[in-house]
Amino acid sequence: MPQSLDYLKETASQTAGPYVHIGLIPAMAGFDIFEKNFSNVLTTPSTEGERITLEGKILDGTGTPLRDVLLEIWQANAAGRYNHPADRSAGALEQEFRGWGRAGSDFESGLVTFETIKPGAITDRAGRTCAPHINVWIVARGINIGLNTRLYFSDEEAANAADPVLNLIEQPIRRSTLVAKRSERGGKVVYSFTINLQGPEETVFFDV
Amino acid sequence: MNAQAPALRDPRLNRPEPLASPLGDGGFFQRDRSIHPPAHAPGYKSSVLRSPRQSLLSLEGSVSEITGPVFGHNDLGPLDNDLIRNYAKDGDPVGERIIVHGRVLDETGRGVPNTLVEFWQANAGGRYRHKKDTYLAPIDPNFGGCGRALTDDTGYYYFRTVKPGPYPWRNYVNSWRPAHIHFSVFGSGFAQRLITQMYFEGDPLIPICPILTTIPDKDALDRLVAPLDLNASAPFDSLAYRFDIVLRGQRSTYFENRTAGN
């Protein structure tokens, strides 16, 4: 027998269940308990960058919006820098911009929204420039392990065409599943997205 | 996309740079999907329409995945890890008082320090304080059912609560969930993000739960079952259960990166 490698095994994932709001967004479950709550608003008045609203739905295999889903997003600031010591790129760090938010879908419409800023282009660890993007993590009843995907921006065509991750997707037609569409509504910039869990337009999910 | 740069040569010496430590690039170990439930698990009926059918796209950890949100004590309130007190209105919650404690480790056995652990559960009767839960067990006026804690420097966390009750659900006609507590854990990078559930040693509903049995690996399932830990119990107050959580291994923590200046 050789030596044992002795690594531990990751704890198995389990569904977040239909009542994920109780723990992670108690106000949506219908009660107030914590002094400080996490939210879907990532910005403060001093945050640098272009204010945007992300607005989307997550559709099941029948095209029906999930109305009990929870999304988290993780993004760089307007200078393309993540608020984490492992990002040593050159962009300016903003201490008060955490870059993380959490939202539940509306119990009636299934709509998920975030108020944030458009991130800058990111320099990856090999020094390459990556198109601006927002990392998304999805959990819900019936989702056994959280799904990772990304949102890119429809007005960044040239940057998207050169993005090393988008270019890993073999079928060009599937790259468009990660691109949120820009529009303006009432003076606000809105990026709309649809995440399809199944079907011909199934969103690209990542094994990160 | 990993940062380990191709072997660069120092032009002055025409010699390769020193070999970097194989565990030093800050990325995460590949996730072993064979110990996680598959997305499509028909015995758990809700997964059928909510499971992607295309292969996941493999992505070596980029800066977007090895980084993640950082939380601190300012995010928490003083009673956040005490579910017996954090929603009490006019007395204690009904039920068996318990302490849950353990460590958040990574696959190399290192504690994951200063990371946010969140937990939520039904009350002792098996009812959630949620406007969508209509089970006939009563809501407990003194129990909210959620809390959170930050691990200490060694990855240790603890909280106090009441043992949740089992409850029926619409999967098969007569499906019941074992008593369980949901856990959400962050780790140091977004790729470590994990939601799981803790179960209690000795619960006869464990082997027949359609959700728990989505896990294909018996050892992985057993690791979700917390043993009674009499050594951590508070005499004449609370029994204790120990639940260690393992996140993905990291090829070096960012604290070590900083120390090494790489």
Side-chain angles (χ1 to χ4, degrees):
Chain A
M1 288 282 285
Q3 297 179 8
S4 164
L5 271 173
D6 232 14
Y7 290 117
L8 302 176
K9 291 282 194 181
E10 189 185 13
T11 297
S13 173
Q14 291 270 266
T15 174
Y19 304 130
V20 59
H21 318 89
I22 286 189
L24 305 187
I25 321 177
M28 278 192 77
F31 66 109
D32 182 28
I33 183 165
F34 297 134
E35 290 175 15
K36 292 176 185 169
N37 289 292
F38 301 124
S39 93
N40 63 334
V41 178
L42 283 73
T43 51
T44 66
S46 66
T47 308
E48 302 278 343
E50 181 187 23
R51 267 39 181 189
I52 63 171
T53 299
L54 293 175
E55 184 179 278
K57 289 185 179 179
I58 293 78
L59 307 183
D60 73 10
T62 70
T64 305
L66 272 58
R67 297 178 299 170
D68 56 6
V69 67
L70 181 133
L71 263 64
E72 289 182 5
I73 60 171
W74 168 240
Q75 66 170 94
N77 66 18
R81 177 90 179 259
Y82 286 101
N83 192 347
H84 187 280
D87 185 353
R88 293 183 204 81
S89 59
L93 189 61
E94 283 176 75
Q95 287 299 347
E96 68 283 2
F97 181 70
R98 176 142 54 196
W100 172 81
R102 171 185 281 172
S105 59
D106 182 87
F107 288 140
E108 301 300 322
S109 66
L111 207 62
V112 181
T113 60
F114 289 95
E115 301 296 333
T116 184
I117 52 98
K118 190 175 170 191
I122 288 142
T123 305
D124 76 7
R125 299 197 292 160
R128 297 176 300 189
T129 300
C130 305
H133 63 270
I134 290 178
N135 306 286
V136 180
W137 191 68
I138 304 163
V139 291
R141 170 177 66 95
I143 294 178
N144 282 329
I145 180 165
L147 296 169
N148 288 88
T149 185
R150 291 182 172 191
L151 292 178
Y152 288 84
F153 300 92
S154 63
D155 54 325
E156 295 282 351
E157 268 185 53
N160 293 345
D163 183 76
V165 171
L166 282 175
N167 280 300
L168 285 177
I169 301 169
E170 182 183 348
Q171 300 86 1
I173 195 171
R174 297 200 70 210
R175 295 174 193 160
S176 63
T177 65
L178 304 186
V179 179
K181 289 190 179 57
R182 182 182 177 110
S183 63
E184 289 192 28
R185 196 191 305 155
K188 290 172 75 174
V189 176
V190 179
Y191 284 93
S192 307
F193 64 92
T194 303
I195 290 172
N196 288 286
L197 297 179
Q198 294 176 359
E201 294 175 81
E202 182 178 310
T203 297
V204 174
F205 298 104
F206 296 102
D207 183 1
V208 299
Chain B
M1 159 101 248
N2 246 338
Q4 213 61 313
L8 296 172
R9 283 178 177 274
D10 182 329
R12 293 162 302 177
L13 301 173
N14 195 28
R15 269 205 318 244
E17 292 197 338
L19 180 65
S21 158
L23 289 179
D25 80 349
F28 290 104
F29 296 1
Q30 177 180 304
R31 182 166 253 158
D32 178 357
R33 296 229 167 221
S34 72
I35 59 173
H36 290 286
H40 179 73
Y44 171 29
K45 293 181 180 177
S46 294
S47 75
V48 171
L49 284 174
R50 295 180 167 206
S51 43
R53 300 301 162 89
Q54 305 289 330
S55 298
L56 303 182
L57 182 72
S58 296
L59 186 61
E60 287 176 66
S62 77
V63 70
S64 299
E65 287 80 34
I66 66 163
T67 57
V70 177
F71 299 94
H73 289 285
N74 286 342
D75 291 307
L76 275 62
L79 291 180
D80 282 4
N81 73 336
D82 189 352
L83 281 68
I84 287 182
R85 289 275 179 271
N86 70 5
Y87 199 76
K89 303 294 184 220
D90 56 7
D92 284 346
V94 172
E96 183 182 335
R97 299 158 68 88
I98 59 168
I99 292 163
V100 177
H101 75 135
R103 288 181 75 202
V104 179
L105 306 162
D106 76 6
E107 287 171 297
T108 67
R110 289 183 291 212
V112 181
N114 309 312
T115 201
L116 184 67
V117 182
E118 299 165 285
F119 19 85
W120 67 101
Q121 63 171 90
N123 68 24
R127 173 85 178 260
Y128 285 100
R129 180 175 289 279
H130 191 292
K131 52 186 168 191
K132 297 284 181 188
D133 188 353
T134 54
Y135 180 41
L136 53 76
I139 290 282
D140 184 334
N142 292 308
F143 190 70
C146 61
R148 49 199 189 181
L150 213 55
T151 60
D152 72 8
D153 290 346
T154 68
Y156 184 73
Y157 75 92
Y158 65 95
F159 61 96
R160 182 168 73 156
T161 185
V162 294
K163 189 173 176 185
Y167 57 83
W169 61 299
R170 296 188 188 284
N171 191 66
Y172 302 115
V173 170
N174 197 14
S175 291
W176 292 75
R177 296 293 338 267
H180 62 277
I181 300 177
H182 297 264
F183 277 74
S184 158
V185 193
F186 279 82
S188 68
F190 209 48
Q192 275 178 314
R193 196 76 182 80
L194 184 73
I195 280 181
T196 189
Q197 300 179 31
M198 173 198 125
Y199 302 87
F200 293 85
E201 177 182 6
D203 190 330
L205 293 170
I206 288 174
I208 55 172
C209 170
I211 287 179
L212 195 45
T213 53
T214 57
I215 298 172
D217 181 290
K218 168 83 168 59
D219 293 335
L221 187 155
D222 288 346
R223 287 193 295 270
L224 298 187
V225 182
L228 178 72
D229 182 358
L230 203 59
N231 289 339
S233 297
F236 290 94
D237 182 333
S238 305
L239 285 172
Y241 289 85
R242 166 131 188 161
F243 187 53
D244 289 339
I245 299 163
V246 179
L247 302 181
R248 296 171 64 182
Q250 187 165 20
R251 291 164 68 94
S252 83
T253 68
Y254 58 86
F255 301 104
E256 286 167 350
N257 279 349
R258 270 175 156 178
T259 310
N262 60 1

